Amino acid sequence: MSAAPYQPSDRLYLWLLTQPRQPVPIGELNLIRSAQGVSLRYADSWLQRGFPLSEDLPLIDEEFLPLEKGAAVGAVDDARPDRWGERVIRFIDKPTRLSLLEYLYFAGDDRFGALGVSTSPDEYLPRRLGPLPTLQDADELHELIRKVQNNEPVPPAQQRLISPGVTMGGARPKALIDIAGEQWVIKFSDGDPADTPLIEHAAMTLAQKAGIRVAETLPVRLTHGHAVAIKRFDRLGGLRLHSLSACVALRAAGERFGYPELAQLLRRRGVTQDDEYLAQMREVFRRMVFNILIDNTDDHEKNHALLMTDAQQYQLSPGYDILPSGQALGFQQMRVGEQEADSTISNALSMSSMYGLGKNEAIKEAQAVAQVIDGWQQHFVACGVTRGDIDLYAEQIDRPFLSDQRGELKGGR
């Protein structure tokens, strides 16, 4: 861990770590007690040579205040730990104060994206952990996570194995591991009735068959059940990529949380080379249709991300957290179309022009996805999912509400 013990302060410092060996100071973070949130003021050096971290943080010399209670401003909010990370911090680190500023600090040096939090404005002094565990430590990690869940003591020598700040928006137990010199997130089951990690691997690879770029996944066999390892897409070799959740990017742009709005953001800010933004807009459409037909109703705005290029253009990240929710809600977490969040293909098609698609083009895209979903059971079997788990999810994925929609698409309607 850090050489100097952390002392609660109302001010910390934000750094950019796109090149980790050459950290660049961005500015100061201040605890805003009235909002229980965190503000940002850019350093003079960043105002001269930096870039806006998100659209609601332009390069001007003022303190940006949080607009929502319990939040950090703009892109800084994506640097905080997820709900599982907060739980780990409370249980293992036990800070004497638990403001958002502490959560930002204790998320550590391996947080999502390329932002870092330091106790010093002049030197990058983050909270650091020791070497990452490896695949061989998966069962030990599983046991440590069980101890956290049951409020049992975790030996100090093992506490470094659980990294609290690696992903956004989720309560599922997870840790960071090293596989062949690269960082992967490993996710475990959370007392689910099915082997959820293996289901996630199967659903992600099925999405790949549907023409969706997804983060690479690897099923990890444990003594009891499975974990799933997901390769980090915010790392590229030794570099870190500045990344924004769709939540932060859409809020910064003053847009609603919706698939059409995400597509339009890519039209405006996406990579222009070879009209890549058009391909990304169409992929947003495919992801939406896939989520509807696989019954993934946990497709909220933090389960989509954008990577920022050196030219400050947005690139849709590989898909992640794509798996059936098993809830049969009939509505998505993001807006789908004119009928708001209703989980119907007709609703998805109602705003096809927002994805740069004509109506017939959109239907063909949806048909291609539906054809892949039709074979979901065979694909899950090939991935090792048990018949019992498949039958459990079939109650939602193959219920008439969704199977009829697939059939209508196959019939060309």
Side-chain angles (χ1 to χ4, degrees), residues 283-314:
E283 183 168 336
V284 171
F285 181 81
R286 284 196 298 275
R287 292 187 188 189
M288 174 179 62
V289 172
F290 186 89
N291 284 334
I292 289 172
L293 295 180
I294 201 70
D295 196 46
N296 176 21
T297 54
D298 190 37
D299 57 339
H300 57 78
E301 58 278 1
K302 286 197 173 183
N303 279 344
H304 306 271
L306 301 168
L307 309 176
M308 187 179 284
T309 69
D310 291 340
Q312 285 82 62
Q313 294 177 328
Y314 291 158

Side-chain angles (χ1 to χ4, degrees), residues 238-257:
L239 305 178
R240 303 185 185 187
L241 306 179
H242 182 51
S243 310
L244 303 175
S245 66
C247 175
V248 162
L250 290 170
R251 187 168 57 200
E255 297 287 355
R256 297 177 59 186
F257 294 149

Side-chain angles (χ1 to χ4, degrees), residues 259-260 285 288-289 292 330-332 334-355 359 362 401 405 408:
Y259 286 102
F285 181 81
M288 174 179 62
V289 172
I292 289 172
F331 60 86
Q332 306 302 121
M334 300 231 296
R335 184 164 87 108
V336 170
E338 293 176 355
Q339 299 303 311
E340 296 301 324
D342 284 0
S343 304
T344 64
I345 298 302
S346 60
N347 193 21
L349 294 172
S350 68
M351 300 182 72
S352 57
S353 62
M354 300 285 276
Y355 305 89
K359 193 64 170 283
F401 176 72
Q405 293 190 67
E408 289 174 5

